[in-house]
């Protein structure tokens, strides 16, 4: 056999062996053919394909001696994901219950590394998306930051944290305390005097965050979940989902846009002043920027869902659409389905948290509160939104509402009649 063919043959054999161990063959060959993905700065011990890799390298070097240099193959040993490792991306928009649903994963247990809205830093530092760019330009940056974070590499995110971290130490990570894994003992550095209380964790008194420790904690966990409300176009994530080092599952969380508007008017009161004025006047100018923005948001959500539901190859079995209202009605069942979809066992801790936090009557304070009686909560917006505004939403978000099965109301009576459900039963998948 000519050496050229022999090399080829051995490669195939080796790849088959690797596949047996880690079922990443298709992704690996992708990588070999076309990829040049960034390396993580942090190395970690990869369990599965190491033996095969050593063998493959040995065989190759025997065959062609000093001629070849297979440094590329370090890929197998360093960066491919550990077997069973999952990367969950919870995609939503503001006021859709994403903090609440994020907790389903935050509470999974010791083997989960959860981050709450890391992209906040990027949006704050770069310009807020305008109607013209529609967030497209930011899409690539968001994706790259998410990719780094799933690989436990905080270096790109660090560039966006303000004030800039010193020696990878920061007091400014957005909502650190919302992530159990950033507040566990190993990540908890000593408290420094003069640092504001709010930088500390709820569960224990932690000093500023050492991002090196955070990365180490991240690497030690089998599963990773990130919740974000900033990704506007699902298709910008294709390279992330196809990254052979990751096993990404996307959960898109949607909610009735009328409920979202009602909730935003309360949570972001000053920003939504114009809407309040319109509600009082009973008149809404159709070509207003605010109305256009609402339409833009609805269209983005719908188009992302259409991409996901059409099941393109790159998203096959990696996309799930969930309505907040269904979670509110059947929290345990929906949580189970989400966990099943991700391939992670539904832990007793997560279950316990959900049970506690969907049955309580106690209203916790704060706009990001997750402690609510969820089924009661889910319908409250109907008494808060003026009918005029509900009509506007129905007009500009019509196609989105139809896709997700939210019923239109023709009069105020129906809007506030609780015995009429505005939710059609739908199965998306
Ligand atoms: C990686 O493996 C080496 C050799 O088996 C070991 O010495 C080292 O502690 C491991 N590192 C980690 C982070 O597990
Ligand atoms: C192998 O090739 C890579 C680039 O392809 C190069 O950076 C590296 O120095 C080479 N290593 C040796 C030992 O020749
Ligand atoms: C942050 O943690 C790393 C890893 O343990 C350590 O080497 C470094 O000294 C820490 N940084 C500070 C400023 O304490
Ligand atoms: C939550 O709200 C629902 C609907 O109003 C109600 O039936 C249920 O009793 C409440 N649960 C608790 C624990 O208060
Ligand atoms: C609410 O709707 C139900 C079902 O259509 C109807 O029977 C009931 O009279 C309505 N209640 C009010 C107050 O309009």
């Amino acid at each position: 056999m000519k050496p050229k063919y022999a090399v080829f043959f051995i490669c195939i054999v080796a790849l088959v062996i690797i596949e047996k161990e880690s079922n990443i063959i298709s992704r690996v060959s992708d990588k070999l053919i076309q990829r040049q993905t960034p390396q993580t700065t942090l190395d970690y011990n990869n369990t599965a394909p190491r033996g095969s890799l050593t063998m493959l390298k040995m065989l190759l070097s025997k065959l062609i001696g000093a001629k070849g240099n297979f440094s590329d193959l370090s890929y197998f040993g360093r960066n491919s994901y550990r077997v069973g490792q999952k990367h969950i991306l919870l995609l939503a928009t503001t006021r859709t219950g994403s903090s609440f649903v994020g907790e389903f994963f935050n509470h999974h247990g010791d083997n989960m590394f959860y981050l709450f809205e890391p992209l906040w830093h990027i949006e704050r530092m770069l310009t807020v998306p305008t109607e013209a760019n529609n967030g497209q330009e930011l899409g690539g940056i968001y994706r790259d930051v998410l990719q780094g974070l799933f690989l436990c590499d905080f270096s790109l995110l660090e560039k966006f944290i303000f004030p800039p971290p010193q020696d990878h130490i920061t007091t400014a990570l957005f909502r650190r305390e919302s992530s159990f894994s950033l507040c566990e003992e190993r990540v908890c550095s000593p408290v420094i005097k003069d640092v504001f209380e709010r930088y500390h964790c709820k569960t224990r008194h932690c000093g500023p965050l050492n991002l090196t420790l955070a990365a180490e904690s991240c690497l030690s966990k089998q599963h990773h979940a990130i919740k974000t409300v900033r990704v506007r176009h699902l298709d910008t994530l294709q390279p992330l989902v196809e990254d052979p080092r990751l096993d990404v599952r996307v959960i898109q969380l949607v909610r009735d846009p009328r409920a979202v508007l009602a909730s935003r008017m309360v949570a972001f009161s000053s920003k939504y002043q114009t809407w309040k004025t319109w509600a009082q006047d009973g008149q809404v100018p159709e070509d207003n920027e605010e109305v256009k923005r609402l339409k833009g948001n609805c269209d983005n959500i719908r188009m992302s869902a259409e991409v996901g539901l059409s099941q393109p190859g790159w998203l096959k079995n990696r996309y799930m659409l969930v309505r907040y209202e269904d979670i509110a009605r059947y929290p345990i069942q929906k949580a189970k389905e989400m966990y099943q979809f991700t391939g992670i066992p539904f832990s007793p801790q997560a279950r316990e948290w959900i049970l506690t936090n969907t049955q309580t009557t106690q209203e916790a304070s704060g706009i990001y509160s997750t402690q609510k009686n969820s089924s009661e909560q889910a319908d409250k917006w109907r008494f808060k939104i003026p009918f005029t505004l509900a009509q506007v939403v129905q007009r500009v978000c019509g196609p989105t509402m139809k896709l997700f099965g939210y019923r239109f109301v023709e009069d105020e009576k129906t809007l506030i009649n609780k015995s009429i459900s505005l939710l059609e039963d739908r199965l998306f998948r």
Side-chain angles (χ1 to χ4, degrees):
M1 203 163 21
K2 283 185 184 166
K4 220 170 31 181
Y5 299 121
V7 169
F8 182 71
F9 176 73
I10 288 168
C11 278
I12 298 292
V13 170
L15 284 173
V16 168
I17 294 168
I18 289 167
E19 189 219 357
K20 273 198 186 135
E21 290 185 30
S22 64
N23 80 19
I24 54 172
I25 187 158
S26 60
R27 306 187 140 228
V28 162
S29 27
D30 268 9
K31 161 83 184 184
L32 284 177
I33 294 161
Q34 28 127 335
R35 287 293 174 96
Q36 272 250 307
T37 28
Q39 299 272 312
T40 46
T41 51
L42 285 150
D43 202 349
Y44 64 94
N45 284 348
N46 180 16
T47 48
R50 188 170 285 266
S52 317
L53 168 68
T54 316
M55 198 174 80
L56 175 61
K57 276 185 170 171
M58 218 175 64
L59 288 168
L60 287 170
S61 59
K62 269 197 178 153
L63 255 167
I64 49 170
K67 268 192 212 158
N69 166 355
F70 292 93
S71 65
D72 260 358
L73 293 171
S74 65
Y75 160 72
F76 289 117
R78 298 186 62 198
N79 288 326
S80 48
Y81 63 88
R82 284 177 288 167
V83 177
Q85 202 173 29
K86 305 288 178 200
H87 305 87
I88 302 155
L89 191 58
L90 180 60
L91 284 191
T93 50
T94 55
R95 314 312 294 171
T96 54
S98 59
S99 307
F100 175 68
V101 178
E103 292 297 322
F104 291 16
F105 295 104
N106 192 27
H107 281 79
H108 173 261
D110 292 341
N111 217 0
M112 171 67 76
F113 190 84
Y114 172 73
L115 290 176
F116 181 104
E117 204 55 68
L119 301 182
W120 180 87
H121 293 283
I122 289 86
E123 185 177 82
R124 193 183 59 152
M125 189 164 285
L126 305 176
T127 53
V128 173
T130 64
E131 218 53 49
N133 69 28
N134 210 2
Q136 277 289 21
E137 290 152 43
L138 284 182
I141 299 167
Y142 287 157
R143 178 192 60 231
D144 293 346
V145 172
L146 291 173
Q147 186 173 38
L149 293 174
F150 273 148
L151 293 165
C152 301
D153 179 351
F154 284 76
S155 55
L156 187 53
L157 177 66
E158 265 192 63
K159 295 194 168 82
F160 293 96
I161 296 175
F162 188 85
Q166 304 288 314
D167 295 329
H168 310 292
I169 304 287
T170 181
T171 55
L173 189 82
F174 181 60
R175 294 290 300 268
R176 169 198 183 174
E177 73 280 4
S178 296
S179 166
F180 282 139
S181 22
L182 293 181
C183 284
E184 58 186 22
E185 192 151 9
R186 58 193 292 190
V187 182
C188 192
S189 56
V191 177
I192 300 171
K193 282 209 173 94
D194 305 331
V195 174
F196 288 136
E197 198 65 15
R198 70 189 174 93
Y199 298 128
H200 303 167
C201 289
K202 279 182 227 152
T203 41
R204 56 172 60 85
H205 228 52
C206 288
L209 180 63
N210 180 337
L211 289 163
T212 311
L213 290 177
E216 282 171 9
S217 162
C218 175
L219 285 171
S220 75
K221 314 264 178 183
Q222 192 177 12
H223 304 306
H224 302 86
I226 300 177
K227 161 215 124 98
T228 180
V229 296
R230 288 180 164 73
V231 174
R232 282 170 181 77
H233 302 276
L234 183 59
D235 44 18
T236 59
L237 297 180
Q238 183 170 351
L240 174 72
V241 175
E242 287 181 331
D243 187 326
R245 295 167 296 179
L246 304 173
D247 191 1
V248 178
R249 299 285 191 278
V250 179
I251 299 178
Q252 186 179 1
L253 176 68
V254 300
R255 187 182 182 188
D256 190 321
R258 293 167 298 193
V260 172
L261 176 63
S263 178
R264 284 181 185 164
M265 284 172 68
V266 175
F268 314 130
S269 181
S270 54
K271 251 175 107 181
Y272 278 77
Q273 201 53 53
T274 21
W275 289 92
K276 285 179 201 161
T277 315
W278 292 336
Q280 276 157 16
D281 297 353
Q283 296 240 330
V284 183
E286 284 290 300
D287 58 349
N288 181 277
E289 283 306 314
E290 293 282 326
V291 179
K292 280 187 194 159
R293 197 180 349 263
L294 173 67
K295 180 172 163 41
N297 287 342
C298 275
D299 288 344
N300 286 341
I301 294 166
R302 177 179 46 80
M303 288 187 290
S304 286
E306 281 167 353
V307 168
L309 294 172
S310 72
Q311 301 201 4
W314 61 276
L315 266 180
K316 194 132 186 79
N317 300 324
R318 298 187 180 280
Y319 173 86
M320 181 184 193
L321 180 76
V322 187
R323 294 187 302 188
Y324 171 72
E325 293 80 3
D326 292 325
I327 296 173
R329 287 193 301 171
Y330 314 110
I332 292 289
Q333 185 195 321
K334 283 288 151 187
K336 252 190 213 159
E337 284 172 25
M338 282 188 271
Y339 266 98
Q340 194 166 30
F341 159 72
T342 61
I344 302 173
F346 184 32
S347 66
Q349 298 98 299
R351 187 193 181 85
E352 190 58 36
W353 185 87
I354 294 167
L355 284 174
T356 311
N357 288 278
T358 50
Q359 292 175 349
T360 179
T361 47
Q362 166 202 340
E363 288 257 340
S365 56
I367 59 162
Y368 294 108
S369 153
T370 54
Q371 265 190 20
K372 291 166 180 171
N373 177 337
S374 62
S375 64
E376 194 175 89
Q377 204 65 28
D379 251 1
K380 265 194 170 168
W381 66 270
R382 295 172 63 172
F383 304 92
K384 286 186 187 152
I385 193 169
F387 178 64
T388 335
L389 299 192
Q391 274 181 309
V392 175
V393 178
Q394 293 178 170
R395 222 160 23 237
V396 302
C397 297
T400 308
M401 291 176 57
K402 275 196 192 115
L403 177 65
F404 299 142
Y406 298 123
R407 285 200 186 104
F408 291 56
V409 294
E410 302 306 330
D411 50 56
E412 184 161 14
K413 256 196 204 144
T414 316
L415 178 65
I416 59 173
N417 186 337
K418 257 190 174 173
S419 54
I420 299 172
S421 169
L422 300 186
L423 197 63
E424 284 165 18
D425 285 328
R426 283 283 166 90
L427 275 180
F428 304 95
R429 275 207 305 150

